[in-house]
Structures are given as structure tokens and as C-alpha cells.
Amino acid sequence: MTMTLNNKVPEALNAFRAVTASDDATPDQVSAAMEEYVTAIAEQAGAQVRAEYEELKNVTDNRVLEARGIPTLTAEETKFYNEVSKAGGFDKDLVWPETIFEKIFEDLEKDHPLLRLINFQSTVGKVKVIRSRRKGVAVFGPLHKDLEGQLDAEFDSTEYTQLALTAFMLISNDTLDLGPRWINRYVQLSLREAVSDIWEIKIVTGTGNNEPIGLLKDLDGAVTGGVYPDKSSVGTLTFKDAPTMVKEFAQVLKTASKYTHRIGDNDTDGETKYRKVAGKVNLIVNPINYYDIVARVTTQNSNGVFVSNLPFISQDHIIESLDVPENKLIAFVDGEYDATQSRPEKIAVYKETFAMKRATLYAIDMLGNGQPTNNDAAQVYDIAIPAEGGTEGETETP
């Protein structure tokens, strides 16, 4: 079962996106918009869980429940949720099982194509990333020759302080009476939606100022007030016709196959290296441009079936994102973004906030951060699709 969103949730999400995209928004405005959005998710999740419970409360067969989207729990998870139910809610002293969050991110990657491309790792307060660069090569020669080909390695480490990632769960008190399986269902729905949206936004647009660094940002650019500048476009994609697309996408893959490897902040020059990118390049675009592109590459075969083909890149590697500006395209190499995510460190309980609704608001503090593995992990292109029957200078107007 997928979560059915009412109008309140997308409206709150759009308001949150608008606030976070505004340069004039204050931290209080951002916090208020986030609280309104996540509370909308929590209320919707609670309503859906109660509806599912009423539908399936007489079902005890695990296979039937799993087929309906209600998973079985591990022994540790069952014990955890039983303690939640016994305590009348979530308590800051309860230790959250790691498997709960592993399942959340497993489901996130299924439902959100962009997040499938990210290397998520469990984390603690600080993470030390160690980088190395090999120097020297092996040497061929005649038998009994002197040993040659000494290999050396340069090492450097960077310590990343994790950022706070807060989510709110508004849980109706009567939900605690439904049992461990249904409390888990509620938690999964609430956290999955809230965490996925904020990660998708910041993986694309994050400024680096108390938030992850997004794919649109230039890691080598001048950082002002903790904010990384936007990347400049490296070219224009027209999708004009088949021969043109072959050349354009060959250039996209050629550009992605070359990158600069640095082993620390002091390594300003770095080393030029190459990588195989066949089947690994993803095109992240605004939904408006997604359909422009798909329309350009869709044809009808002799059997009357419509098929879509791009040179060198499969259609499932075209990913829609509301956070990519219109007429921009991000060419991203799969797996070249590192992100960390912890389970809840602290839980704040607000019993009075929604007392009239007999509900409790839980604010969950997690830790997380992320940035591209190198500045060439993503390149930004302009999209300039010629109008039908027009010239290259005339672009289609959505």
C-alpha cells in the first residue's frame, strides 16, 4: 500500500519548498514551514494507518499482511514497539533499532529514483573520510632484474561534522493501542515521506551552509558565508534530431568520464583521472523538460508500439526533480554522492501542543550530511529544444 496524500500535504510541501528557496527566509520561517509540512504528513499517516487497521484488523496471516504492505517485525523491533505502547509513547531513553531505519531507506530508494543514486551510510556525530592517491606503477622487465616499480600512496583525511535533521511525528494516542505492527507502519510512513523530500531537495539544491551540498553547486567555487556558488553550464543540449543527439550525448559521457581527484583541501591542483561511465550517467531534469525530452525520443515501431530510446543512455536514467530549474539538466554519475544518516539521537515530546486532538507531537533529531565525491560528479547543461519546424535558436515554450 502506498501512502495516499490529501491536498494538505502537497500544499504544505510547496510552501516549504518556497520558503527554503527564498533568500529572504528567516530560520524561524523555515522551521515553521517544515513543522507544518511534517505535521500534515503525520496526520495523514495516522489517518491511513487507522483506515488500514480497520480493513485488516481480523487478518492474522503474515503473508496476507505483507502482501498488503504491512511487514512483519524482527524480535528487537517488536520489543521496541511494545515498550512504546507500554510507555504511552516514544521516550528519549528508548534505543531505536537500526533495522527500522534500514527499512525506511530501503523503501525510499524504491520509491524515489534520485535517492537510489546516493551512497547512504549510517553515521555518528562526526565522520572522518580518508582519501588516498597512488603514485608509481608496476614495471615489466626480464627475469632476475632488480626490483622496480615502487608504489607509494599519499593520504589525507577530512572530518565532517554532521548536521541536525529534524522530523516531527504527530501520533494520535489511540494509535498506540493498535499494536507493534501498526505503530511501525505509522513510523515508516511518517519518516519516509518527511525524510525523502528534504533529502531530494538538498541533494539537488543544498547550499552547504548548515545543509548538504547539492549537485547544482560548484565545489571549486568561492564560498561566501558558507554558501557554495552555482555551477556554470558546460554546454547546451538541443535534442534536435538523431544525429545531433548522438553527438551531444557522446560529449556528455566523454565529459563525465574525466574528473579531478583531490585528496584534501590543500590539494588545489589535484590529479586528472578517468572512469568508465557506460550505464552510469543519469539525466536529472525538471518535469516540464522531462516530457519535452521523452517526446523527442519516442517513436512508433512497426507493431504500433511506442518506444523511447536515447543514444548511450536508457530512459530509466532520466529522472524528474522539482528542484532542478526549468531548461537545466544535471548529468550525474551514479554513486558519486556520499550521504550519511543516523537513527534518532534525541526525541522531544510535546503533549500539550495537540491536547485537544488527543495526540502527541514528537520531534526527532537525527544526524546527516552529504556532498558530491568530486566536483565532476555532476555537470550542468542548458536545454534548448528547437520548436517543431523551427530552427535551433527557437526553443519550445512549455
Side-chain angles (χ1 to χ4, degrees), residues 3 37 41 100-118 120 165 187-200 203 319 339-342 366:
M3 184 171 180
Y37 164 55
I41 288 177
I100 293 176
F101 291 88
E102 289 175 354
K103 183 63 169 65
I104 288 173
F105 277 89
E106 179 184 320
D107 290 342
L108 282 183
E109 292 174 7
K110 291 178 183 176
D111 299 335
H112 299 267
L114 178 59
L115 299 185
R116 285 203 302 263
L117 313 179
I118 308 305
F120 278 107
L165 174 60
V187 169
Q188 296 278 342
L189 286 172
S190 296
L191 291 182
R192 191 169 70 218
E193 291 300 320
V195 172
S196 66
D197 284 320
I198 192 62
W199 269 117
E200 284 200 343
I203 285 170
I319 297 172
T340 54
Q341 172 71 60
S342 77
M366 296 174 282

Side-chain angles (χ1 to χ4, degrees), residues 160-203:
Y160 293 98
T161 300
Q162 300 306 298
L163 304 171
L165 174 60
T166 304
F168 297 90
M169 294 196 308
L170 178 65
I171 185 166
S172 179
N173 296 339
D174 58 7
T175 304
L176 298 173
D177 298 329
L178 303 183
R181 192 193 297 268
W182 297 98
I183 301 174
N184 174 70
R185 173 70 170 156
Y186 170 82
V187 169
Q188 296 278 342
L189 286 172
S190 296
L191 291 182
R192 191 169 70 218
E193 291 300 320
V195 172
S196 66
D197 284 320
I198 192 62
W199 269 117
E200 284 200 343
I201 293 170
K202 298 309 177 184
I203 285 170

Side-chain angles (χ1 to χ4, degrees), residues 132 135 226 278 281:
S132 67
K135 299 181 67 176
V281 174

Side-chain angles (χ1 to χ4, degrees), residues 26 31-32 43 102 122 124 161-162 167 177 182 206 210-211 213 227-228 311 324 348 351-352 356 390 396:
T26 66
S31 178
E43 290 177 338
E102 289 175 354
S122 298
V124 290
T161 300
Q162 300 306 298
D177 298 329
W182 297 98
N210 293 324
E211 62 185 24
I213 304 173
V227 175
Y228 284 79
V324 176
K351 290 186 176 294
E352 297 80 14
M356 295 297 292
E396 293 181 349

Side-chain angles (χ1 to χ4, degrees), residues 1 56 61-71:
M1 296 178 185
L56 300 172
D61 190 319
N62 285 335
R63 290 172 298 179
V64 174
L65 289 171
E66 286 188 7
R68 303 285 184 91
I70 315 299

